[in-house]
Amino acid sequence: MEPVRSFCKDSLAVRIYADRTAMGAAAARDGAALLRRLLAQQDTVRAVFAAAPSQNEFLEALCAAPDIDWKRVTAFHMDEYVGLDAAAPQGFGNFLRARVFDRLPFGQVCYLNGNAPDIEAECSRYAGLLAQAPIDIVFMGIGENGHIAFNDPPVAEFDDPAAVKVVALDEVCRNQQVHDGCFADIGQVPTHALTLTVPTLAGAKHHLCIVPAPTKAKAVRDTLEGPVSTACPASILRTCPGAVLYLERESAHLLTEV
């Protein structure tokens, strides 16, 4: 699980692995070690999880990690479609429930409800839960358009006053859901979603960002080699002390550093 290449870009550590399996295993090893360390220092840990096929290897390895007192961990997920059938497997809460939330004895799991009768009230409710204490860890990915959570370039704000908001999904983002095999065609992909905002994500104490696949190579290059800008929202990670970006050869192949 040792990287084939490591370097730093501003505050962001970058580690490139031979393949997705090694990348996911390394991120899970580091995430588990971080959870153990924090739980040794404080009563509870609050962690935000991303829901996407890009996280599969990481989540599977994290579920197998030993000696984590999950009963002292509160979990959140970072985004959810608006108006998708509550039982649909593409729902991000359902994705995480199947892959991690129902497999481990979390003390509490806080779900976003994309079918709430009052969506703005749901944003306020979830923002209130997030505000109860600092967020310790964000386990995350990067979208094909450089988004983090559902902060696509047209709606991302680095100084967003909201903690959680409703957003319209851009075409690149919606097509990614088709590329990932989550939907048969773009017509099935919801047009709106709830998302934690960029400041909410960036304000966490620790960030582990797991990004495989050649479809993410341009977004990875823009994150690391472009300006820190909402044109590539993930570039904000370069300002987060201690953040780590986990890549594999295919997602890193456009980098000039490689």
Side-chain angles (χ1 to χ4, degrees), residues 194-255:
L194 299 169
T195 186
L196 275 62
T197 60
V198 174
T200 303
L201 296 168
K205 297 176 185 176
H206 303 275
H207 303 80
L208 280 70
C209 187
I210 300 101
V211 188
T215 55
K216 304 293 182 67
K218 181 181 182 300
V220 166
R221 182 187 63 192
D222 292 347
T223 296
L224 295 174
E225 298 180 359
V228 176
S229 161
T230 56
C232 179
S235 63
I236 195 70
L237 291 169
R238 287 161 47 190
T239 73
C240 297
V244 183
L245 176 60
Y246 298 83
L247 306 173
E248 42 77 43
R249 291 185 191 275
E250 291 190 323
S251 59
H253 83 269
L254 293 180
L255 295 176

